Amino acid sequence: MGVRKRQMAERLKEEKSKIAFAKLNNCPTSPRKMRLVADIIRGKKVEDALSILKFSSKEAAGRLEKLVLSAIANWQAKNEDSDVVEAGLIIKEIRVDGGTMLKRLRPAPQGRAHRIRKRSNHVTLVLGESKMLKDN
């Protein structure tokens, strides 16, 4: 391995140690409803996001709260010597994609049937350390 390639690999490894992610697959909530809650917490500090999710009345908030806690646990597994509060973790990225769709039939008048699509979603959450706290 060349010198530049090794330096690049070490730099990428260092950057990856500062982030942690968690995924939630096939969550039985429509992506549109999940994105409403995800947009609220995008870019916030982890403590603020958890308090917002805890007191939100949306069903998706409970699922996202559990996902944020999972991402924090993943970050702590990587950085055992660091503290979550001192690191100033923020939600760098939260992405809600469409998942599988269950197709059902609902009876309609005059012998017809309407198709019901029960949607699900995939959520990817990336936590990172805040740059502002490191500069100070």
Side-chain angles (χ1 to χ4, degrees):
M1 185 184 296
V3 175
R4 285 185 302 178
K5 195 171 183 181
R6 185 179 307 114
Q7 289 172 348
M8 183 67 160
E10 289 172 359
R11 190 169 54 94
L12 287 174
K13 188 175 179 182
E14 179 69 28
E15 288 176 7
K16 282 187 177 182
S17 71
K18 295 177 184 174
I19 65 169
F21 74 97
K23 288 184 75 173
L24 174 64
N25 286 329
N26 291 321
C27 178
T29 308
S30 74
R32 187 175 180 178
K33 292 177 183 177
M34 188 67 84
R35 281 188 197 109
L36 286 172
V37 181
D39 290 341
I40 295 171
I41 64 169
R42 183 176 287 121
K44 300 257 194 252
K45 290 183 180 178
V46 172
E47 298 87 15
D48 298 340
L50 285 173
S51 63
I52 289 169
L53 292 172
K54 185 175 183 179
F55 294 107
S56 177
S57 61
K58 302 265 188 193
E59 180 190 347
R63 300 176 195 272
L64 281 182
E65 182 182 9
K66 196 170 181 180
L67 186 68
V68 171
L69 291 173
S70 174
I72 291 171
N74 292 342
W75 185 86
Q76 284 178 333
K78 279 186 178 180
N79 305 307
E80 295 169 352
D81 53 340
S82 300
D83 188 28
V84 176
V85 179
E86 292 175 5
L89 290 178
I90 60 168
I91 298 178
K92 270 189 156 178
E93 181 183 343
I94 183 165
R95 189 171 57 246
V96 181
D97 301 320
T100 57
M101 203 180 310
L102 296 174
K103 294 179 180 172
R104 300 289 181 257
L105 292 177
R106 166 123 334 142
Q110 298 181 352
R112 296 189 186 101
H114 293 295
R115 183 172 285 168
I116 302 295
R117 295 184 304 254
K118 296 188 174 192
R119 300 173 188 270
S120 67
N121 64 59
H122 305 309
V123 184
T124 306
L125 181 86
V126 178
L127 293 183
E129 295 178 2
S130 178
K131 294 178 183 176
M132 290 187 298
L133 292 176
K134 286 191 164 193
D135 294 338
N136 291 336

